[in-house]
């Protein structure tokens, strides 16, 4: 079957669709880059604005509390908390103003700001753990959701501890000018981008499994002296490998384009997540990218197996696209969190088509642990291929019989 | 040896083949002749399982197509015409693929030399003329090295030199013990190479041994004579 794989791969790779797929992957991943290519790097500037805004809020709160007469024990405690926060934010604001004014200095020595941010984060953990979280004025972090829980505060502590340890400036993942490693990570973290990439994969799969019918070249495949399932598996393999290679080539191209323009970045930059809902952990950009790659490969395999099964019933491009897109639409959060699918959602492959929520434990829908998710994706893939085997057992010539 | 017993085939209500029974011996060439649209290609498709024929109808060297499809197909090669070649692949790609898939030990180099396709061996099919594609297709038959060769109108688009070359190769294959069923409209060629001729008429086969008779005259008698009577 190696020969069949080689032939299918070569045929598919030489179609113009493959080039279109490569360009589509690239454009999807570069849209954000091109849209902001003339913008300044406003991420740190916006973040400084958030510190300033928080200081303003604290000033108002402190003024309000100072006017309260008589001051109860609770008012005094709150006033003390707000004053401490203001002092800490004041120091951060001052240090950060210098860094924003001098990006070169920021790159050389981000430790002073990180140290102050860590000090504030630790204070916030202590206050939240003591049940005084409501008194905290939490500043927004560009590109990240605000999490006022104790876990959210613990994550902040771990982030600044790690940044301090590695002497790195904080990155803001919605900044206009991100270095390549961070830019790619920001793109891969986006569920929307991931699902659109998979939709493009569906196009490649549909092309592969309708190619013979459209070019009137089905005959040779149907008179091969080999088990039809083996021939089908070879086609699945060729489609899968090509899809993965084209996606990898597009990712590499995007990395180079962004890297040449905005620098390469560092794959050791930490992403903070919670593996168990109680403690915080570090996942580097490099490990995130590797995990994303592994999971997306399984998602591509699943979509290819689906295309193979559909090809045994129809060679219509429209039906191939519809079946693949249906699986992807089921992976949209609003569908996955719907009450009607909630009881079974963790056993659906669509629940695991977005690697980022799985890797960072941020899914808003029920999921099995990582190993379980992999088992679901592989199980469905094997199941789809098994149905294909059964179909070919009774109809050796597929949809033409 | 191919044994066909009571083969029937219809597209919907339109019958094309009715109760055909015949045997093709090893080391023989059988010509298949009929006007366009009367079932030649349909018969070839049935014989290789591209169209359903039912169990117990087709046996190739004792192997039933429906019981042991893979073993049956391993003994034959059929590709309807050169438009079914892969346009984006080269002649070399096709020959290497067929050699592997049919587990053949035939030398590709020798075949390329014999058929004189070396000049376009590495060219893509889409860049070849009809005659070149016919050569590439015949090369696939040779490289696959099957017992049964089902060949549909192989002489289309060929110049007289190539026709002679193809006829010589058919004769060599016969001498090597292969079974050839060749459909053709070139009655003079059918007369030169065939041991027997199947005239497919009214869903039935009229089998005639080739005794050197004028095949064009036979064709006219069988097909045009009937048309004249109708007229």
């Amino acid at each position: 079957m190696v020969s069949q794989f080689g032939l299918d791969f070569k045929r598919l790779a030489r179609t113009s669709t493959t080039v279109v797929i490569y360009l589509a992957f690239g454009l999807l991943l570069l849209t954000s880059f091109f849209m902001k290519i003339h913008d300044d790097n406003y991420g740190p500037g916006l973040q400084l604005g958030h510190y300033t805004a928080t200081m303003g809020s604290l000033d108002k709160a402190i003024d309000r509390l100072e006017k309260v007469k008589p001051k109860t024990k609770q008012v005094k405690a709150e006033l003390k908390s707000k004053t401490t926060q203001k002092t800490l934010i004041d120091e951060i604001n001052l240090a950060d103003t210098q860094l924003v004014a001098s990006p070169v200095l920021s790159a050389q020595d981000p430790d002073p700001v990180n140290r102050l941010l860590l000090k504030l984060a630790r204070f916030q953990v202590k206050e939240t753990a003591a049940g005084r979280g409501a008194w905290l004025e939490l500043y927004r972090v560009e590109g990240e959701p605000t999490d006022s829980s104790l876990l959210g505060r613990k994550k902040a502590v771990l982030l600044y501890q790690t940044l301090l340890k590695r002497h790195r400036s904080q990155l803001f993942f919605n900044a206009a000018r991100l270095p390549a490693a961070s830019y790619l990570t920001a793109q891969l973290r986006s569920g929307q981008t991931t699902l659109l990439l998979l939709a493009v994969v569906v196009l490649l799969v549909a092309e592969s499994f309708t190619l013979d019918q459209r070019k009137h070249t089905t005959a040779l495949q149907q008179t091969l002296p080999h088990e039809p399932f083996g021939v089908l598996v070879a086609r699945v393999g060729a489609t899968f490998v090509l899809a993965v290679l084209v996606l990898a080539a597009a990712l590499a191209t995007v990395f180079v384009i962004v890297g040449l323009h905005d620098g390469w970045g560092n794959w050791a930059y930490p992403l903070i997540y919670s593996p168990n809902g109680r403690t915080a952990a570090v996942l580097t950009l490099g490990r995130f990218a590797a995990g994303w790659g592994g999971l997306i490969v399984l998602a591509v395999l699943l979509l290819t197996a689906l295309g193979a099964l559909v090809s045994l019933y129809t060679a219509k491009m429209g039906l191939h696209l519809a079946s693949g897109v249906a699986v992807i639409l089921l992976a949209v959060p609003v569908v996955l969190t719907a009450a009607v699918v909630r009881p079974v959602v963790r056993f659906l492959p669509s629940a695991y088509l977005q690697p980022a929520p799985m890797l960072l434990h941020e899914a808003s829908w029920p999921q099995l642990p990582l190993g379980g998710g992999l088992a679901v994706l592989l199980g469905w893939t094997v199941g789809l291929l098994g149905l294909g085997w059964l179909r070919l057992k009774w109809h050796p010539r597929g949809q033409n019989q | 040896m191919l044994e066909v017993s009571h083969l029937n085939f219809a597209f919907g209500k339109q019958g094309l083949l009715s109760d055909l029974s015949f045997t093709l011996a090893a080391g023989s060439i059988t010509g298949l002749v009929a006007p366009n649209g009367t079932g030649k290609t349909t018969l070839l498709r049935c014989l290789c399982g591209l169209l359903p024929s039912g169990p117990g109808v087709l046996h190739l060297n004792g192997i039933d197509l429906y019981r042991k499809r893979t073993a049956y197909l391993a003994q034959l090669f059929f590709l309807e015409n050169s438009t079914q070649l892969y346009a984006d692949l080269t002649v070399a790609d096709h020959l290497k693929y067929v050699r592997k898939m049919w587990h053949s030990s035939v030398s590709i180099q020798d075949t390329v030399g014999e058929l004189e396709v070396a000049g376009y061996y590495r060219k893509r099919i889409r860049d070849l003329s009809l005659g070149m594609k016919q050569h590439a297709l015949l090369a696939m038959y040779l490289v696959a090295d099957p017992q049964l060769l089902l060949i549909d109108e192989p002489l289309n688009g060929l110049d007289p030199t190539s026709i002679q070359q193809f006829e010589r190769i058919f004769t060599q294959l016969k001498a090597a013990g292969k079974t050839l069923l060749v459909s053709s409209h070139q009655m003079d060629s059918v007369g030169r190479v065939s041991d027997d001729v199947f005239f497919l008429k009214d869903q039935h086969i009229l089998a005639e041994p080739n005794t050197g008779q004028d095949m064009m005259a036979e064709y006219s008698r069988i097909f045009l004579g009937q048309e004249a009577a109708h007229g």
Side-chain angles (χ1 to χ4, degrees), chain A residues 157-400:
Chain A
V157 168
L158 184 57
L159 172 67
Y160 296 120
Q161 272 179 336
T162 312
L163 290 177
L164 195 58
K165 197 168 143 191
R166 296 179 185 170
H167 311 292
R168 300 209 173 279
S169 299
Q170 185 170 5
L171 289 175
F172 305 104
F173 282 90
N174 62 346
R177 304 261 65 84
L178 279 173
S182 311
Y183 177 84
L184 263 187
T185 302
Q187 294 301 308
L188 304 184
R189 277 179 79 177
S190 158
Q192 195 179 349
T193 304
T194 302
L195 294 182
L196 285 171
L197 290 174
L198 289 176
V200 176
V201 169
V202 167
L203 186 63
L204 179 68
V205 170
E207 166 74 10
S208 170
F209 287 103
T210 58
L211 186 63
D212 279 325
Q213 203 73 20
R214 283 184 290 112
K215 302 214 168 185
H216 308 289
T217 50
T218 52
L220 187 57
Q221 302 283 310
Q222 291 178 344
T223 55
L224 290 174
H226 292 272
E227 288 301 325
F229 183 67
V231 177
L232 183 76
V233 168
R235 176 68 57 94
V236 168
T239 309
F240 164 70
V241 170
L242 185 69
V244 169
L245 287 180
V246 174
L247 179 57
L251 287 168
T253 306
V254 170
F255 184 75
V256 170
I257 290 173
V258 178
L260 289 173
H261 196 265
D262 294 322
W264 304 107
N266 193 304
W267 291 107
Y269 186 85
L271 293 172
I272 308 298
Y273 73 105
S274 173
N276 50 22
R278 296 184 307 278
T279 57
V282 171
L283 186 70
T284 63
L285 297 192
R287 289 180 72 92
F288 171 81
W292 188 94
L295 285 167
I296 212 71
V297 159
L298 289 183
V300 171
L301 187 58
L302 174 93
L303 292 172
T304 312
L306 176 68
L309 180 62
V310 172
S311 75
L312 299 179
Y313 292 90
T314 179
K316 289 183 178 159
M317 176 70 108
L319 289 175
H320 272 268
L321 293 176
S323 62
V325 168
V327 172
I328 290 172
L329 284 177
L330 279 174
V332 174
V334 70
V335 178
L336 290 172
T337 51
V340 67
V341 293
R342 203 168 176 84
V344 293
V345 77
R346 70 189 65 210
F347 302 109
L348 296 178
S350 297
Y352 307 96
L353 291 185
Q354 295 186 50
M358 204 168 162
L359 293 167
L360 299 174
H361 298 256
E362 290 172 342
S364 55
W365 56 91
Q367 279 189 324
L368 294 170
L370 185 62
L374 298 181
V376 168
L377 282 175
L378 279 173
W380 274 85
T381 302
V382 170
L384 290 169
L385 289 175
L387 289 174
W389 179 81
L390 279 176
R391 166 76 180 170
L392 286 170
K393 193 85 180 156
W394 301 109
H395 304 277
R397 284 176 290 112
Q399 89 266 0
N400 292 315

